[in-house]
Each structure stands twice: as C-alpha cells, then as structure tokens.
Amino acid sequence: MYCVQCEQSNKGGCAVKAGSCGKTAEVADMQDVLLRVMQGVSVYADRAARKGGRDAAVDAFTPHAWFTTLTNVNFDADRFAALIAEALAMRDRAKECALKAGADLNGLPEPAAWNPGTTPSELAAAAPFAAIQRFMDRDGPSIVGLRNLILYGLKGTAAYSEHARVLGTEEDAVSAEFHRIAAFLASDPADADALIAEALAVGALNLKVMELLDAANTGRFGHPEVTMVRMSPVKGKALLVSGHDMGDLEAILEQTQGSGINVYTHGELLPANSYPGLKKYPHLAGNYGGAWQDQQKDFAAFPGAIIMTSNCLINPEIKGYADRLFTAGPVGWNGVRHIENHDFRPAIECALSLPGFMEDAPERRIAAGFARNTVMGVADTLLGMIKAGDVKNLFLIGGCDGARPGRNYFHDLAVAAPKDSLLLTLGCGKFRFNQEELGDINGIPRVLDMGQCNDAYSAIQVAIAVAGALGCGINDLPLHYAISWFEQKATAVLLTMLHLGIKRIHLGPTLPQFLTPEVLAVLVEKFDIRPTGDVQEDLSRMLKAA
C-alpha cells in the first residue's frame, strides 16, 4: 500500500501490508478506487450543474462517500465494496441528470467511464489505476503533491459537509462547487499555478461549509455557553460517545432518557457539553478520557458500552473491547456492530448489561464553551484589554492531535506563552494543555476552549471581528498560530486559512509528506508557513512579529 494522507503514515508512505493506523492494503486500495469513481460522479454532476441540473441523491451520497476514506474512519472492506457499487450507480444517475439537462458530454476525463468492477479480484486488479502515485514518474512529486493537497482538502471539506448535512443543512451551490473541483482533479491536471488556485478554492469552499456547519450546530443546539464540564465519572451505568457527530449524541441522549444510563463524551465531543440543547439532558454526565489517540487506554478502562460516531477510530481488537464497541455513520471496523438508522438500542442494551462505575470519582471540572458567540459577547471587554495592554498577544494553539513524538511542543508553547496572553484553542490538540492551571486576565480564563476542529469557523470569525474593530488587517493582529496537523480535516482548515490570506502559521510537529520541498517553498513564499521547531525560538519570533 502507499499512503501519505496523514501525519502518522510511515516515511515515504505505508509500503507495507498495513498502515500504522491499522488500515489494510486491501482497504487502502478500495478507498483509492472509491475516490476515483467519485471523481467520475462529479464529472457528470458538474456538467449537469452548469446547465442547472441536480440530483439530490448524488449530492447527498458524495460527502458521505468521501468521508469514509478519511484517516481512522472506516476499515471495513465489505462496506467499501458496497460503497463502490453504489458509487457506480450514482455515476449513472449523475450521467442521466447531465443528459436531461442538455450538458455537453464530450471530452470527459478517464474517471467518467472507468469501470473497476465490483468483485474483490476485479477491484484488486483495478487499484493501480486509482493509486495516488500512478503518475509520479510522468508528472513528478511536486505536481502529484499539489493534486494530493486538493484531494485531501476535499476529503476534509466533505467531512464537514457531511456533519452539516446530517443535521439538515446543505446548499446546492456548495455541492456544485465540490463537484467542480473534484471534476477538475479527475483530469489529472499538471499545471502548478492552476493546482495552487484550485487548492485555495477548496479553502474558500471549506469556509462556506464550516459556516453551514456552524449554523447547523447552533440552529439545532443553541450557541455554546461557558460551562464547567465534569471530567470525572459518576456512579451508575455508563455509555461513552466519541467522534464528532452531535446529532448522534442527541439521539443517544433521547433514547437513554429514564434508563439509568449516564452518557459521557470522549475526545472531540467534549465541547458538546456546552450546548444548551444537549446539556439540558441531566444524564449527560460530562467527559471521560482525553484525545482520540488515548482511546485504546480510555475505552479499555471504561466499564460500559462505547459508540464511535465519526473519526477517529483506532483498532479495537488489541485491548479487547470490540464486543462492546459500536460504530455509526461513516465509521466501520470489520466485525464491530454497526448502528443503522440512528437506532441505538443495541448499544443501550449493552450498556445496561455492563457494571458501569461503582462509585463517584473525585470531582474534576474544566471550562468549555468559548465559541464565537460567547467571545463576541464580551468583545468590548476583550478589545478594551487589548487596547489597555492587559492582553498583549493572542495565541491560537490547537488542531488535530496524534501519538507521534513532538506534540508536547503545543503544551510547552501554551505553558511558555507570556502571562499577558490569551490562548484560543480548538480541536483535540487542546487536551495537551486544557487541564493546566494557566490562570486568568481580569477574570477571563487564559485558555479559551472554542470547541471541536469543526468549530474552526468560530476562531476565524473572532479573528476577523477583532481585526475589524481595531482597524487593522488580520495579519497585523498580535495573533499567532501554532497548528497541530494530523489529517484531512486539518488540511481543509489550513487551506481555508490560506484562502483568507493568513500568514506565519506554525505547522507541525512534522509537515505533510505530500508537501514536497518545491510545494513547501511556494507556500512559504506566498504565506510564510513555518514548520514548528524549538519552542523558545518560535515564541521569540512570534512575539517579535507582533
């Protein structure tokens, strides 16, 4: 297999039988095939959209299919075989839609007609024609790297789009733009300038998608409120919900009412405890455990049932809890029970059959809920503190966490940041330092948890609003970025930041392998992207630029 899509891939790609995430070569190949077919779906959907045509089923299937190929989401070969068959059917639907709209179907790229088959042997034989390194010799690593930058950015955008879609929020224009960019990619373009332009177009699209997701979350659950979230368990039956899907969490809370089961969040769902529409459930008992890479330890120790609603899943067989783990939505692991149609009764019955926690643990809480509505609600106070010099710097420290060495950089940077600075954080990277006692400034906690990686829109909007109020550009703010990069959602957010012209982003702990030295040189020249290095040296450079 060959995989460079996330930070934990082996150097040079996973040229082995299985990736470090546990993904097999068979599944990796099937994911490549699915994405190549989906590019063909978008070729027809794009041609149809240009003539005003649209197929709602195609638009709904597209983000879900792309989402399943993200890092640590779906490892089930049987599910991918079914998805590929469905994708081929969707391509036929998209073609029919284009024909009905009167679209010109001349000059179509390869994925529009490519037939990989549906049997295991056919798919295995077809896989080399979908591999990301297929044209490496012809086009070189820089062009292939730029294509991967777009591909992985689209993956992240698809995930955010699917999160919004399952909450009932989507827009035709978003689907049309996604299809346009995917159709561009289907032609295997080799013009570097065009590829960079389309990568920034992914960033612009992702900004719109994150806006839709923000509207979906706040429209359904209300704006987050500052909440002291319990981080220690209480006595009773227990069910743990991980991933990102707050719609699934709401359904679980509704279906467990009166059952005697306490529901806990894990990882990226920690911020759900601050939404009024979710915290109203008294049996939402708080958060258990840390970031996604701790789940094998956390899940093994949890005395109840566990539901994984979206990324990030790790091999559940090593620690022996697969029999009480359930997957939902795009997630899958061979042999693990999958929840269909939001009917969580199997997981609830499992939770009731398990002992749960025998006693209350010593109470421990942390503050969450500092999303854009909360922060902008005290905007005058914050701006006054900046103008008075009480707050001299803002640091955005967060992103996707991981297990590789070097990620203590983000903890060390947060601890080393001057006491007159506020630390904005989002994504599971916050678990590196969100339980540190870092104090406050005039009663405002120095660590402001803005939510999931899904909530990057909040941080962006706060930065734009503060710059506007101070009458300066966003790059003139005393705002410094240290982003923990891991997978494709982070790639999409990075492209959004680049689309907005944000510069001097410190990215780490290691740079994506698909960013070749030549591609990185372009990004450094245009946006001054910097790899994370020595904490004190980076901090000194950040403060000097303020």
Side-chain angles (χ1 to χ4, degrees):
M1 65 185 295
Y2 182 86
C3 180
V4 293
Q5 73 175 19
C6 79
E7 197 264 341
Q8 69 183 17
S9 62
N10 299 330
K11 185 174 179 60
C14 300
V16 290
K17 292 182 179 179
S20 53
C21 63
K23 181 168 60 179
T24 65
E26 179 188 16
V27 168
D29 286 346
M30 294 177 88
Q31 289 180 347
D32 289 344
V33 169
L34 176 60
L35 287 175
R36 192 68 170 167
V37 174
M38 289 308 301
Q39 289 173 35
V41 171
S42 288
V43 166
Y44 288 114
D46 175 51
R47 298 289 176 104
R50 296 183 189 196
K51 292 291 186 178
R54 174 179 181 260
D55 187 305
V58 169
D59 287 352
F61 178 73
T62 296
H64 176 80
W66 281 74
F67 193 176
T68 63
T69 70
L70 263 72
T71 300
N72 291 43
V73 174
N74 198 317
F75 300 80
D76 191 334
D78 291 341
R79 292 265 299 281
F80 277 108
L83 281 166
I84 290 167
E86 190 172 359
L88 289 167
M90 286 294 169
R91 191 175 66 182
D92 290 339
R93 286 186 66 124
K95 181 178 180 180
E96 183 179 353
C97 179
L99 288 169
K100 286 182 178 180
D104 178 8
L105 298 186
N106 290 312
L108 299 178
E110 178 187 80
W114 181 57
N115 183 13
T118 56
T119 68
S121 60
E122 288 174 332
L123 293 172
F129 296 93
I132 62 171
Q133 76 272 34
R134 176 185 173 193
F135 296 116
M136 189 73 76
D137 290 341
R138 186 190 75 182
D139 298 333
S142 293
I143 292 299
V144 173
L146 284 171
R147 288 203 291 257
N148 287 338
L149 182 61
I150 296 172
L151 180 72
Y152 301 147
L154 283 176
K155 282 191 180 194
T157 300
Y160 290 135
S161 182
E162 179 68 356
H163 286 312
R165 190 190 68 80
V166 297
L167 291 176
T169 302
E170 54 187 326
E171 283 189 5
D172 293 357
V174 166
S175 296
E177 178 67 355
F178 189 97
H179 289 310
R180 186 194 68 76
I181 299 171
F184 166 82
L185 205 57
S187 65
D188 301 308
D191 181 279
D193 291 337
L195 286 164
I196 291 171
E198 289 299 332
L200 296 179
V202 173
L205 175 62
N206 189 60
L207 178 63
K208 178 60 180 177
V209 168
M210 288 195 299
E211 180 185 4
L212 292 178
L213 178 56
D214 179 84
N217 285 335
T218 57
R220 177 90 159 254
F221 309 114
H223 284 279
E225 303 168 338
V226 177
T227 304
M228 296 302 295
V229 180
R230 184 173 177 119
M231 300 292 287
S232 50
V234 296
K235 181 179 179 180
K237 301 288 186 178
L239 196 159
L240 186 63
V241 188
S242 192
H244 300 72
D245 197 315
M246 294 199 295
D248 276 350
L249 176 60
E250 180 186 47
I252 292 163
L253 289 167
E254 289 175 347
Q255 293 173 36
T256 51
Q257 288 187 98
S259 67
I261 297 173
N262 291 315
V263 176
Y264 298 84
T265 59
H266 180 270
E268 283 274 28
L269 273 178
L270 164 63
N273 291 274
S274 62
Y275 282 84
L278 297 172
K279 61 189 277 189
K280 70 180 181 182
Y281 293 94
H283 60 299
L284 179 58
N287 189 80
Y288 178 88
W292 71 269
Q293 75 273 7
D294 297 327
Q295 71 180 246
Q296 289 178 324
K297 170 178 63 71
D298 293 341
F299 289 5
F302 188 77
I306 305 156
I307 301 171
M308 177 62 72
T309 66
S310 73
N311 56 316
C312 306
L313 175 65
I314 301 177
N315 187 344
E317 297 169 349
I318 295 174
K319 296 290 186 177
Y321 51 81
D323 60 338
R324 52 190 176 87
L325 175 69
F326 299 80
T327 60
V331 192
W333 188 277
N334 186 41
V336 170
R337 287 169 287 181
H338 188 71
I339 298 295
E340 299 286 356
N341 301 317
H342 305 285
D343 181 356
F344 293 97
R345 281 178 294 181
I348 293 169
E349 292 168 2
C350 180
L352 290 170
S353 72
L354 293 166
F357 291 99
M358 294 292 99
E359 60 184 5
D360 292 353
E363 187 169 333
R364 188 164 45 87
R365 295 180 182 268
I366 64 170
F370 294 94
R372 63 181 175 86
N373 200 57
T374 299
V375 175
M376 296 316 297
V378 295
D380 290 342
T381 300
L382 176 59
L383 291 170
M385 292 167 64
I386 293 174
K387 292 176 180 177
D390 295 327
V391 172
K392 290 189 171 63
N393 288 276
L394 301 167
F395 289 83
L396 177 58
I397 306 175
C400 301
D401 203 5
R404 276 193 172 182
R407 290 185 178 273
N408 56 326
Y409 170 94
F410 301 94
H411 165 273
D412 295 346
L413 181 64
V415 171
K419 302 304 181 186
D420 56 7
S421 60
L422 295 177
L423 311 176
L424 312 179
T425 187
L426 50 88
C428 59
K430 62 175 167 273
F431 284 101
R432 292 280 170 178
F433 57 88
N434 67 346
Q435 297 187 56
E436 294 277 0
E437 294 292 339
L438 296 179
D440 65 86
I441 302 176
N442 297 347
I444 295 180
R446 289 189 60 228
V447 178
L448 302 180
D449 183 351
M450 306 194 77
Q452 298 179 321
C453 68
N454 294 9
D455 299 310
Y457 180 77
S458 272
I460 289 169
Q461 291 305 307
V462 167
I464 291 172
V466 170
L470 294 176
C472 65
I474 197 167
N475 288 312
D476 298 319
L477 288 172
L479 174 58
H480 317 290
Y481 308 89
I483 306 300
S484 177
W485 172 81
F486 181 78
E487 45 81 85
Q488 297 87 70
K489 284 183 175 179
T491 302
V493 173
L494 173 64
L495 291 175
T496 293
M497 296 173 75
L498 299 185
H499 157 71
L500 292 170
I502 296 173
K503 297 185 177 182
R504 300 189 300 274
I505 300 168
H506 284 72
L507 187 67
T510 58
L511 292 177
Q513 290 185 36
F514 56 83
L515 288 185
T516 66
E518 294 85 359
V519 174
L520 180 60
V522 172
L523 296 181
V524 169
E525 179 184 355
K526 287 180 175 290
F527 304 104
D528 202 8
I529 285 183
R530 298 168 177 175
T532 55
D534 177 79
V535 167
Q536 291 300 329
E537 290 179 3
D538 289 352
L539 182 59
S540 176
R541 184 166 57 239
M542 291 175 184
L543 297 176
K544 190 176 296 184

